[in-house]
Amino acid sequence: MRIVTGALGVALMAVGAALLLTGGQVKDVAIWLAGSVVLHDGIIAPLVIATGLLLAAVPSRGTVRAALLVAGCLTAIALPALLAEGNPTNPSVLPLDYLRNWLILLGVVGVGAGCLSGCGDCVAAGCADVERAAFTPSERVGAGRGGAGSFRTAPTRRVPGQQKPKLPNREPH
Amino acid sequence: MKIRPRRPTRPRRPTRLPSLPRLPAPVLPTFSGRLHDARTATSLGRWLGVAIAVCFVTGVISHYLQHPPYWLADVLPSRPSWGYRVNQGLHVSSGIAAIPLLFAKLWTVYPKLFVWPPLRSVRHALERLSVAVLVASAVFELFTGLLNTVQWYPWPFSFVPVHFAVGWLLIGALILHVAVKYPEIRDHWGKRSPGTLELPAADGPDRRSLLTGVAAAVGAVTLTTVGQSFTPLKAFDLLAPRHPDHGPQGLPVNRTAAAAGVTRVSAPDWRLTMLGTHSYELTLDELAALAQHTVTLPIACVEGWSKSAQWTGVRVRDLLDRAGARPGAAVRVVSLERRGAYRVMEMGSEYADDPLTLLALRLNGQVLSPDHGFPARIIAPNRPGVLQTKWVTRMEVL
């Protein structure tokens, strides 16, 4: 069964190779295929690994990691829209303000992660008053577990007495 | 990932072949981080596999709907009318969902890139080659597909045939990979699988946390783009290259009148030429005086966006009957545009006979705008947008 499956895979790969060969653009495609591996293995993966090393000792690591994953993937899919020139003769291609939307999304991710890590710290500290802590995470974080919740983009650090952190009130249209 | 090869000391025997000079092992990176394990790879890999399989199947369907070989042209179904819309929405959103999954999967197995010696045997060499093809084709397909949705083509080759060919390369390499890795996949499939149980139990919560993060990333990229085709979620359509409400007459456009060079069509001079056993010509007024039908059909682009709209016009079947076409005839439609891969379009009999297939004159009750194909365009169910020919000037019974 494994051999049959493997053979099927090889056969499908051969279909792809034959399509490429008859297309007559093999050299350019080969360069771009190799470039894809270099781009990932040489640039993207080392950057991600390096980020992982920096995160190793961060409190609420899981939440911070998830936030960076979400933010990074949103950025990856936003990049073409952010960098493409668009089509001046066709206003329905790339019609949105992608820079604004991308920043809103990063803000939402940051606020969400801040709230989550605040809750997480609270639960970890055995705090019974979960609800209160969820709304004022910074007090608990600041008071007890120095450095916890230090995720930079989370606007949960505030001096008691200041206004509540606002969720972005600009609704995605 | 520190594996120190333990080599039992044994007396050197004279070898018949001259031995290659032993290469000094280079300084390779070591990975102290956890979760570069088979259980994590299996958990991520099966979701990535599902996404790629959906992307491949919908891609093949899309390709043959758009470029049908002659033996397929007359049997391609015109129903369900929303079929192409769902197909292409799935194709683009499964491709986008695969991006976080691919990043995470490759991160998990990244340490395997650094092994010494790089090739141990023919089998090992072939395995590494297949993985190289898998990684290259996966990154390539997602990258080119994403750039295609924003109509950005920085490469020297043409997108459609190459994206199609590399898709076969990718699915083949994926199936081969599953066959090669089957024992490891089986041993790490479930929480209680033997391989999983051998892994440090302390990694369990960390792994779940990573998988939750990846799931959140998949959800986020899907939610912020899927609204371009799944219109109930259009309020969250923040990053997609299209928005269903942005475009002339509230509908996106792929090829504008300016791009096609047909900005000034003089309605009094325009004629529809029908070629058949009883050829005839119609002015716009005569066409508008024929029996008009209104249908609700989606227009769905190969690039992923789609939107339903109300179209009013003359049934293509009625026009063909008047030209003396036998039932089951195919039709060729020619556009006024001067150049373009889809200036001439052929439509199989399933589409030509469908009562929903119109030569439309109106969109949502208004006369077609130039960008939507004034004075007349084709709208047919279950077809890629590029085949919904605009600025129609001639139709030929085949």
Side-chain angles (χ1 to χ4, degrees):
Chain A
M1 191 61 195
R2 266 179 86 192
I3 291 171
V4 174
T5 311
L8 173 70
V10 172
L12 294 178
M13 285 166 80
V15 171
L19 285 169
L20 280 178
L21 286 171
T22 52
Q25 304 178 93
V26 186
K27 200 182 129 203
D28 289 331
V29 177
I31 290 170
W32 277 75
L33 278 169
S36 305
V37 180
V38 172
L39 172 73
H40 178 269
D41 290 358
I43 299 170
I44 299 173
L47 280 176
V48 174
I49 298 272
T51 313
L53 284 177
L54 291 177
L55 283 187
V58 168
S60 307
R61 183 168 141 269
T63 309
V64 175
R65 179 173 60 191
L68 288 177
L69 253 167
V70 173
C73 290
L74 286 172
T75 304
I77 62 155
L79 268 181
L82 290 170
L83 300 178
E85 288 166 18
N87 186 339
T89 64
N90 186 352
S92 72
V93 180
L94 299 175
L96 308 175
D97 185 345
Y98 293 97
L99 184 62
R100 186 203 64 168
N101 291 355
W102 174 63
L103 291 173
I104 289 176
L105 287 168
L106 292 191
V108 169
V109 172
V111 170
C115 293
L116 274 178
S117 67
C119 285
D121 286 346
C122 175
V123 170
C127 171
D129 193 359
V130 173
E131 201 177 351
R132 183 182 150 269
F135 283 105
T136 59
S138 58
E139 289 169 46
R140 175 141 301 271
V141 164
R145 306 164 44 97
S150 62
F151 184 44
R152 283 284 170 79
T153 56
T156 48
R157 291 195 146 201
R158 59 194 183 88
V159 187
Q162 233 180 349
Q163 281 190 340
K164 270 189 183 179
K166 274 185 192 166
L167 286 164
N169 53 8
R170 284 168 300 173
E171 270 298 301
H173 57 268
Chain B
M1 274 304 291
K2 247 182 218 171
I3 299 167
R4 194 157 298 164
R6 266 174 288 161
R7 202 167 282 133
T9 50
R10 57 180 176 184
R12 240 163 213 272
R13 278 181 293 177
T15 44
R16 271 176 291 167
L17 291 170
S19 60
L20 288 169
R22 180 163 295 215
L23 293 171
V27 181
L28 291 174
T30 54
F31 294 85
S32 55
R34 291 169 344 190
L35 303 185
H36 295 294
D37 58 53
R39 168 65 182 162
T40 313
T42 305
S43 301
L44 290 165
R46 55 189 172 201
W47 287 112
L48 179 60
V50 169
I52 288 180
V54 169
C55 211
F56 175 75
V57 171
T58 50
V60 169
I61 291 173
S62 172
H63 191 83
Y64 284 117
L65 280 174
Q66 198 178 333
H67 305 277
Y70 73 95
W71 53 269
L72 203 57
D74 275 338
V75 294
L76 284 180
S78 60
R79 301 295 173 94
S81 62
W82 40 262
Y84 189 73
R85 178 181 202 189
V86 170
N87 185 81
Q88 212 53 17
L90 274 176
H91 181 69
V92 171
S93 41
S94 60
I96 289 175
I99 291 173
L101 293 166
L102 181 68
F103 278 144
K105 175 73 165 67
L106 291 181
W107 172 83
T108 302
V109 297
Y110 189 61
K112 287 186 187 292
L113 187 62
F114 306 96
V115 291
W116 198 261
L119 304 173
R120 281 194 300 269
S121 62
V122 174
R123 188 197 150 96
H124 185 227
L126 287 174
E127 189 187 325
R128 295 206 82 181
L129 178 67
S130 78
V131 170
V133 173
L134 179 59
V135 174
S137 54
V139 175
F140 179 94
E141 284 296 82
L142 298 185
F143 181 70
T144 55
L146 189 66
L147 258 55
N148 176 54
T149 65
V150 299
Q151 302 191 348
W152 183 9
Y153 306 99
W155 42 77
F157 42 82
S158 53
F159 170 76
V160 174
V162 170
H163 192 71
F164 182 65
V166 177
W168 288 92
L169 211 54
L170 169 57
I171 197 75
L174 177 64
I175 291 173
L176 177 62
H177 184 68
V178 170
V180 169
K181 294 285 176 191
Y182 177 71
E184 282 178 271
I185 297 171
R186 183 195 51 205
D187 287 350
H188 299 86
W189 187 259
K191 281 179 202 158
R192 307 252 154 251
S193 300
T196 309
L197 292 175
E198 281 175 23
L199 293 169
D203 288 351
D206 195 24
R207 185 179 300 111
R208 273 193 294 283
S209 148
L210 173 73
L211 296 178
T212 307
V214 174
V218 170
V221 295
T222 303
L223 184 65
T224 52
T225 54
V226 77
Q228 66 175 331
S229 52
F230 187 63
T231 42
L233 289 181
K234 69 182 176 185
F236 300 99
D237 180 14
L238 296 177
L239 297 181
R242 302 295 190 132
H243 189 280
D245 292 346
H246 287 244
Q249 298 178 295
L251 190 70
V253 164
N254 232 34
R255 189 163 166 82
T256 59
V262 280
T263 41
R264 277 162 211 227
V265 180
S266 154
D269 294 341
W270 179 84
R271 296 287 182 278
L272 173 70
T273 307
M274 283 293 302
L275 299 180
T277 44
H278 311 297
S279 299
Y280 60 92
E281 266 192 8
L282 292 175
T283 64
L284 187 53
D285 287 342
E286 287 168 336
L287 193 62
L290 297 178
Q292 302 288 306
H293 298 269
T294 297
V295 300
T296 302
L297 282 179
I299 186 137
C301 179
V302 287
E303 288 155 21
W305 64 267
S306 60
K307 192 184 182 185
S308 194
Q310 210 180 52
W311 309 89
T312 306
V314 183
R315 275 184 185 151
V316 165
R317 188 62 244 172
D318 295 349
L319 294 168
L320 293 179
D321 286 343
R322 190 166 160 178
R326 60 183 167 76
V331 60
R332 179 180 296 136
V333 180
V334 182
S335 169
L336 275 173
E337 65 183 297
R338 288 178 209 133
R339 62 190 169 278
Y342 300 94
R343 191 179 72 88
V344 179
M345 175 275 284
E346 286 179 10
M347 182 189 271
S349 56
E350 288 279 326
Y351 295 107
D353 287 344
D354 194 303
L356 292 181
T357 301
L358 300 185
L359 182 65
L361 307 177
R362 289 176 171 270
L363 161 58
N364 291 334
Q366 299 172 311
V367 172
L368 289 174
S369 72
D371 284 345
H372 282 299
F374 177 81
R377 75 168 303 164
I378 295 289
I379 186 77
N382 196 23
R383 278 205 116 189
V386 285
L387 300 180
Q388 312 280 29
T389 307
K390 300 194 272 195
W391 316 290
V392 171
T393 184
R394 194 169 80 234
M395 293 169 71
E396 304 166 14
V397 177
L398 297 177

